[in-house]
Amino acid sequence: MDYTIRETQQDFQMLRMSGTSTGLEPGRENGLQPRALFQLNRPTEDQIEVQPQVELELHRHRQQEYQQHAEQRKPAWLKPKCTLSVFIACFCLSAVFLGMVYYIRQSLHRVSPCDSPACQKASVHLSMSSDPFTHPCDYFLFTCGPERADDQGKSRRGVKENRTLDRKTELLQYLREILESNDELASSSVKKAKEFYRTCMDTKSLAITGVEPFLALVHKLGGWSLFGQWSKTDFNSTLSMLMRDYATFPFFNVYVGEDPTDASSKRSKRYIQIDQPDLIVPIKWNREMAKSEVMRETVGLFLDSCKSHLMLLGAPPDEVILHVGPFISLSSNLAVTMAPLSYRRAKGQLYRKLTIKELQRRAPAINWLACLQAVFHPEPLTEDEHILLHNLPYVVQMSHIITNKTAGNELKNSELHTFMVLNLLHTLLPALDSRFSNMANTLSVAFGHTRLRQRDLQTKTDAPTELFTVAPRWKRCVMETELGFGDVLAPLLRENVATGEAEELIENILSSFKSHLRELKWSDQKALQIVMNKVESVTPRIVTTKENQAELDLLYSEVSISNHSFFSNYIELLSFLQKRLSRLLREDNDNADILAVSPSLLGNELVIPAGIFIPPFFHPTYPRAMNYGVLGFLLAKDLLHQLLPDIYSQSEMVRAIGQCVWSHYRTVTDKDIGEVSLSAAQQQEVSVQYLALQIALKAYEKSLKKQPADTSISEFSHTHLFFIAFSQANCDADQYHHLMPMEPSFIMTVVCAKSRLCPTNLQCLKTTRRYSWNGC
């Protein structure tokens, strides 16, 4: 305003000084000094008459010039004619400016999308699942176990199956993709593995081939009295041939392993180990009698199955029952002194060391030296070689039974031969046509019969093993291919591990694991110190094969794979496996199981299988939120089970967590669970999974502090993606999942109750009860 007044005064002065009678005195144009500004002139008479009119015109002239001059000095945005348009333009510019500021601020927090092929595939998978933060009821109102026969359970069955990831199934699927891929530059051993798998999947050729290859094999063994032709071969000769060429162990198992009780040297010696067999007929353990017995409720089904198998082989109908009956009887006699691992451990029957000569004296019916020399050829064995025995009472009983049947009794000797041939048939079922496998499926479903494979013998437990027959064809073919070509497939699994992301994840999970243990309230400080000493001494190691590609090609050069006969390929595989036993005996080879899906503790070493670092659980290009949300949680859970099996009894806080989570579940769900209380094992599992999720989340936060940037999938960022990823794999099928009394993703709702990292709370609107939502 002051500026405008001064400008007006100056304009007024300039107008008075302009060339008029009032501006300068006459006759002073050239160098005359102007009159003082406030000096008054004396007017003449004429001037007095016209003065009002002149002054009026002068006033108008001055006002006109002043307005024009002032108008020129005004900013454009003050001019009346363009005020509205300028205002709109300025508003738009302001809006653009504010938008740019907002965009820049948002860009600082925006997560760039992951566009790798693995992320694109993961995005498709996530798009097929519900977001737990928008559909919480679909995530925690059912259990991981068998569904209840109610409408609520049936309506959610599809949702659950679509998002549940089974670690073993996903690993098999990953190996399937490898085996079915076309790679012209693949090594010779990889090509053999793929050809083996392809012939396994060629069911049409198997159907055309029929049973002739198996009958030809029986003929090589001296025939079979079932068909009226048997050369009465020597029992021990036939047994040696079955074990050496066809990996069939009808009376006892043979494998190679260390003696865990031998701590005299840093490198444990490897021993031949003799264990009880895996009988074809289903047996059960009678706790009261402390002995095994054939499951009488399944004898009829098993009898029908055996009869059907023999009929498919073309056996005369009237001869079938004459061979099947004695087979079941002999199986029952052998089963009497068999015992589960826990019982034998308690009785001190495991890892009993004795020489082959001493074993021969205890069980003379078997020619032990000849049989073991056949299996471990060309390894030179003598009768002074030490072996480890895992059930001496069974071996003595078995020898007694065989002696009774070979003591000049041709009929009973024939029963032993039938027993061995039927075991061979069971070994070769995967190589026969679908009629045999379908029948085996039916039988397995009927009584849950499982078969231990050769590799499983080295880590025997009382836990059920993978069903051998109850699986889709592709699964069975992948497992059989891995059984023979595991060392070939292992390097292909290592590709995801060699990038460094796997090591970083393990390091952060272990660090978070240790710090979290210190935060728990322990029963006493001594217990905490023992636990921490145990945890601090653990060194993680990712299992890898030692052979390079050239060594693998050389190793498998002795394996001949046909492109049209899976039966001959399967025989070749079994023979190759037996030849490798002698190599395991003299070489320091881990012979790692690439189908393992959880870590194991070997002394102070935490052995982590490479097979856990696969999509959809892990990939080097995944956002770290996804890797930590899925595999980080699973790894933390495995660590708690492996390192702290008794954590429930060692920490009051762990017990409180289990009770708290269960209390929340009872409160917020509409399930009629009444006053059901959890067992100690169930409460421990609930606590373990709760702690595992917190450990994984803390490890991810630590990772973000080191590297704040992270990518995204499906526009989910950071912890939102972390929790969504976790919800995809929380029904993982492991040996503890049956202890979870609820859908494990419910734990996420409890963690989010006291964490500000969750996008929103996870309250299910379908619940009818009011509750106070607090974390545990």
Side-chain angles (χ1 to χ4, degrees), residues 436-480:
F436 291 89
S437 59
N438 291 339
M439 197 177 304
N441 281 340
T442 302
L443 189 64
S444 295
V445 170
F447 48 76
H449 184 45
T450 61
R451 170 189 162 187
L452 282 171
R453 300 187 299 164
Q454 180 65 23
R455 183 197 58 242
D456 299 325
L457 298 175
Q458 300 184 39
T459 55
K460 274 195 159 198
T461 64
D462 289 334
T465 57
E466 185 75 17
L467 278 177
F468 182 74
T469 54
V470 183
R473 181 72 187 180
W474 72 265
K475 276 190 178 182
R476 300 205 304 269
C477 289
V478 170
M479 287 191 288
E480 293 301 337

Side-chain angles (χ1 to χ4, degrees), residues 78-99:
L78 289 177
K79 295 182 179 180
K81 293 182 180 180
C82 59
T83 299
L84 181 60
S85 60
V86 171
F87 176 77
I88 295 174
C90 292
F91 177 79
C92 293
L93 288 173
S94 300
V96 171
F97 175 76
L98 292 175

Side-chain angles (χ1 to χ4, degrees), residues 717-775:
S717 61
H718 292 158
T719 50
H720 193 172
L721 181 59
F722 173 92
F723 284 114
I724 291 177
F726 159 72
S727 68
Q728 303 298 306
N730 53 24
C731 260
D732 179 62
D734 56 26
Q735 58 179 323
Y736 304 102
H737 78 282
H738 65 282
L739 294 175
M740 279 299 290
M742 67 191 74
E743 160 62 31
S745 64
F746 178 78
I747 296 172
M748 180 172 59
T749 69
V750 184
V751 172
C752 286
K754 68 173 184 178
S755 174
R756 297 180 180 179
L757 298 174
C758 301
T760 182
N761 60 17
L762 286 168
Q763 298 184 20
C764 177
L765 299 179
K766 294 182 181 179
T767 58
T768 59
R769 304 172 186 173
R770 295 182 179 273
Y771 54 90
S772 176
W773 196 250
N774 296 312

Side-chain angles (χ1 to χ4, degrees), residues 145-189:
E147 296 284 0
R148 285 187 176 184
D150 54 12
D151 294 336
Q152 190 180 54
K154 292 177 182 178
S155 64
R156 298 191 180 97
R157 187 187 303 270
V159 177
K160 173 184 170 183
E161 291 176 351
N162 286 338
R163 67 183 180 81
T164 299
L165 302 178
D166 174 18
R167 295 167 84 172
K168 180 59 73 67
T169 299
E170 294 295 339
L171 176 56
L172 293 175
Q173 180 63 44
Y174 187 79
L175 292 174
R176 178 189 184 183
E177 293 176 2
I178 292 176
L179 293 170
E180 293 181 352
S181 63
N182 294 322
D183 185 5
E184 297 296 333
L185 300 179
S187 65
S188 61
S189 56

Side-chain angles (χ1 to χ4, degrees), residues 475-598:
K475 276 190 178 182
R476 300 205 304 269
C477 289
V478 170
M479 287 191 288
E480 293 301 337
T481 305
E482 184 277 331
L483 182 61
F485 295 89
D487 289 341
V488 176
L489 298 177
L492 303 179
L493 288 177
R494 277 206 315 268
E495 294 178 357
N496 288 337
V497 182
T499 55
E501 282 80 0
E503 287 86 349
E504 180 186 352
L505 183 142
I506 294 173
E507 179 184 353
N508 287 337
I509 290 293
L510 271 174
S511 175
S512 175
F513 178 81
K514 294 173 184 177
S515 63
H516 208 80
L517 291 183
R518 295 187 180 94
E519 297 174 2
L520 297 177
K521 295 180 180 178
W522 295 85
S523 301
D524 58 79
Q525 289 301 312
K526 184 178 180 181
L528 172 61
Q529 191 60 44
I530 294 174
V531 167
M532 293 309 302
N533 290 341
K534 180 179 181 181
V535 173
E536 292 290 349
S537 65
V538 169
T539 302
R541 176 175 65 90
I542 300 177
V543 177
T544 56
T545 55
K546 296 181 179 180
E547 296 91 344
N548 57 38
Q549 197 58 63
E551 292 173 336
L552 288 172
D553 290 344
L554 178 62
L555 176 64
Y556 283 86
S557 62
E558 58 186 275
V559 179
S560 178
I561 299 298
S562 168
N563 59 7
H564 63 275
S565 174
F566 180 63
F567 188 89
S568 64
N569 289 342
Y570 199 74
I571 296 295
E572 188 79 8
L573 173 66
L574 296 177
S575 178
F576 174 73
L577 289 176
Q578 288 313 114
K579 292 177 182 177
R580 295 204 64 185
L581 276 181
S582 59
R583 184 167 173 254
L584 293 176
L585 191 60
R586 65 176 181 269
E587 295 182 8
D588 185 14
N589 192 313
D590 286 341
N591 194 30
D593 176 14
I594 69 169
L595 292 185
V597 292
S598 60

